[in-house]
């Protein structure tokens, strides 16, 4: 088990549905991340939150809407997704160590299927 | 454009063998190089390298960074079936962004 918890583990939704992915960590990390991983591909960064503020948006379509309600929680709100959005969505967290990197610790992901 | 290239893409060896995985990069604003192991789910952090020529070790795994050659290697000695996984190399670009390579799929046969 990882120290970053993601729910749900699996999600199937239609293109008109609205759903949310949740991520929680209790390691005191102040940076949190959303990644998208397609089959047999590496993770691709979507969003970064630092001290609960959005610091990086990698030109992600607006049908994905991130939210960081507090330092332990990260949500990804989904609306009107397309079949090509089907993927494993990974959450990660790290210490905030600007200007240096800190190791990111990943959750097990939510496997999302869009019908 | 930033690039992280891993080789080989796939490797099959017998238990007990030693393997070397390669990672080369062209990334602006380089800060560090990280290695992760991914089995079925979460990538698991292995090493972070920032200084050239200093080897990091953890049990049978070790890694070293060569900033002059813009590359890193990950060595695994006395491989076990539990080492079978995808090994991901990632380069830290600035303080928060990781650029991942495509991974090396390692299979250890008993």
């Amino acid at each position: 088990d990882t120290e970053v918890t993601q729910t749900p583990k699996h999600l199937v939704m239609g293109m008109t549905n609205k759903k949310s992915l949740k991520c929680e960590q209790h390691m005191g990390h102040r940076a949190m991340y959303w990644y998208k991983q397609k089959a047999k591909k590496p993770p691709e960064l979507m969003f970064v939150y630092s001290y609960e503020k959005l610091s990086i948006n990698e030109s992600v379509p607006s049908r994905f809407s991130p939210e960081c309600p507090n330092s332990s929680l990260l949500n990804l709100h989904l609306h009107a997704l397309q079949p090509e959005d089907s993927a494993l969505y990974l959450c990660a967290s790290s210490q905030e160590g600007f200007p240096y990197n800190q190791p990111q610790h990943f959750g097990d992901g939510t496997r999302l299927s869009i019908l | 454009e930033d690039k992280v290239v891993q080789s080989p893409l796939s490797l099959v060896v017998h238990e007990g063998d030693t393997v070397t995985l390669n990672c080369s990069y062209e990334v602006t604003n380089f800060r560090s190089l990280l290695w992760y192991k991914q089995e079925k789910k979460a990538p698991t952090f292995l090493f972070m390298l920032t200084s050239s020529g200093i080897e990091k070790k953890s049990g049978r795994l070790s890694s070293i960074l060569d900033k002059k050659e813009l590359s890193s290697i990950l060595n695994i000695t006395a491989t076990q079936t539990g080492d079978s996984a995808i090994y991901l190399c990632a380069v830290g670009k600035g303080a928060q962004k990781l650029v991942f390579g495509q991974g090396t799929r390692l299979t250890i046969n008993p």
Side-chain angles (χ1 to χ4, degrees), chain B residues 9 16-17 19-20 38 41 47 49 59 90:
Chain B
L9 293 181
D17 289 350
V19 298
T20 299
Q38 187 171 25
K41 297 179 181 177
F47 298 111
L49 305 155

Side-chain angles (χ1 to χ4, degrees), chain A residues 37 55 58 96 99 101 104 107, chain B residues 31-32 36 42 94 96-97:
Chain A
Q37 187 175 25
S55 58
E58 290 286 283
E96 180 54 83
N101 298 125
Q104 294 180 22
Chain B
R31 296 294 172 87
S32 63
Y36 285 87
Q96 294 175 327
K97 186 171 180 179

